[in-house]
Amino acid sequence: MAAYDVIVIGAGPAGLTAAVFTARARLRTLVFSKPGEGMIHEAVSVGNYLGCDGWSGERFLAAGVAQVRKYGAEVLDAEVVHAERRGELFAVKTHDQREFEGKALVIATGESYVSSGVEGEKAFTGRGVAFCVACDGPLFRGKRVAVIGNGSYAAEEALELLAHTKDVAVFSNGREFELSPEFRAALERAGVPLRKEQVLAFRGEKFLQELELEGGQRLPFQGAFVALGTATAFAFAYKLGLERGPANELVINRDGETNVPGVYAAGGCTGGNAQIAKSAGEGCNAAVAIIKRLTGKKFYVDQT
Ligand SMILES: Cc1cc2nc3c(=O)[nH]c(=O)nc-3n(C[C@H](O)[C@H](O)[C@H](O)COP(=O)(O)OP(=O)(O)OC[C@H]3O[C@@H](n4cnc5c(N)ncnc54)[C@H](O)[C@@H]3O)c2cc1C
């Protein structure tokens, strides 16, 4: 598997800005985007980002994707469900089970944290409720465990859990399941039930003991992994050991680097102003630091 120089997870203002810099510096750059996801899709008329007065978020995005592609970056419509360090490289896995490796990783997935909204999530976190199978899966060896989520990320977590316990169920929490055929088949083969009921509450004394479902039914479960929606920066933080701030934002330095060398973060996932200019600025900071690091140059000069 040929390694990319830079893998960017997220194709909003932060990720695309990082990519335009690294691509113009002739670093082999791969950007992942989950179609239709991200705050930028919701902006109707952007009036405060220079040069784009009145543009819709969609127009901004289309122009940005075209620009990074023009300079050689690849933009792939695929959801990243897993990320890990592999020696000197970082490996990511997508919803359709493909793997890619990069020398540097930029997390630019927008807002960082999706709560399950289930009563008791906070109280039982660390007492049965968890967020990362790679980190906490071994604590649930042989136990009955639920995964709360309806997409590829939940499927990935459920399959990973099987290494620790065979008693795993996925609850979509009242939503439709949105699974790739590969994930659906893998879950079926492993005998993991897909349940659509809504989970109202996590119940127990000191530790999680039961899930309370809509209608009041209570089921014995000693573990629950929250894996709603797309894998967020919050999930990648767990998997890669990244430091988080009080609002679960990723902590970065002035170069956009996290506490794990080679992993950078930019935009909504680092907290602060939810603005395009802030996201783009952080994408630029991360990219310039990566360019210096990978090319060994002290100064960044765009000579494209
Ligand atoms: C209604 C509305 C109006 C707004 N108006 C303005 C405005 O006028 N001016 C302004 O400056 N800001 C505005 N904003 C805020 C602005 O949209 C955000 O601050 C900005 O989009 C954040 O950029 P970002 O790149 O950090 O994240 P996002 O724009 O949220 O992009 C995140 C990207 O990550 C991708 N992604 C996430 N998870 C994964 C995964 N697991 N695998 C692969 N890809 C993934 C998504 O597909 C998306 O491409 C507005 C926001 C809203 C909601």
Side-chain angles (χ1 to χ4, degrees), residues 18-29 68 71-73 291 304:
V20 82
F21 275 76
T22 57
R24 282 172 62 85
R26 299 202 171 81
L27 295 179
R28 197 171 171 223
T29 302
V68 302
Y71 290 111
I291 293 165
T304 305

Side-chain angles (χ1 to χ4, degrees), residues 1 82 84 86 91-94 97-101:
M1 187 190 319
H82 183 75
E84 65 182 33
R86 198 173 280 167
V92 301
K93 187 161 108 186
T94 55
Q97 317 268 29
R98 284 181 289 167
E99 283 199 340
F100 302 84
E101 289 179 341

Side-chain angles (χ1 to χ4, degrees), residues 8-17 31-49 55 57 60-61 76-82 93-95 107-111 153 229-233 235-236 266-270 272-280 282:
V8 182
I9 312 176
L16 290 173
T17 302
V31 185
F32 288 100
S33 153
K34 188 171 180 214
E37 292 250 334
M39 242 195 209
I40 192 64
H41 292 277
E42 294 172 48
V44 180
S45 172
V46 176
N48 55 3
Y49 191 69
W55 285 29
F60 183 89
L61 205 56
L76 207 58
D77 282 344
E79 178 185 348
V80 176
V81 295
H82 183 75
K93 187 161 108 186
T94 55
H95 69 285
I107 298 174
T109 45
E111 296 284 305
Y153 175 49
T230 309
T232 58
F236 297 129
C269 61
T270 69
N273 292 328
Q275 290 294 305
I276 293 170
K278 179 264 188 193
S279 285
E282 288 186 354

Side-chain angles (χ1 to χ4, degrees), residues 157-199:
E157 292 286 87
L159 291 170
E160 241 182 281
L161 256 178
L162 294 172
H164 309 293
T165 174
K166 298 294 167 223
D167 201 352
V168 178
V170 183
F171 287 83
S172 71
N173 215 10
R175 298 175 188 210
E176 288 302 319
F177 278 100
E178 292 171 12
L179 298 172
S180 64
E182 292 88 353
F183 267 132
R184 199 173 274 278
L187 290 170
E188 210 169 291
R189 272 197 308 276
V192 173
L194 300 178
R195 305 187 56 149
K196 274 201 189 163
E197 298 105 311
Q198 200 166 353
V199 180

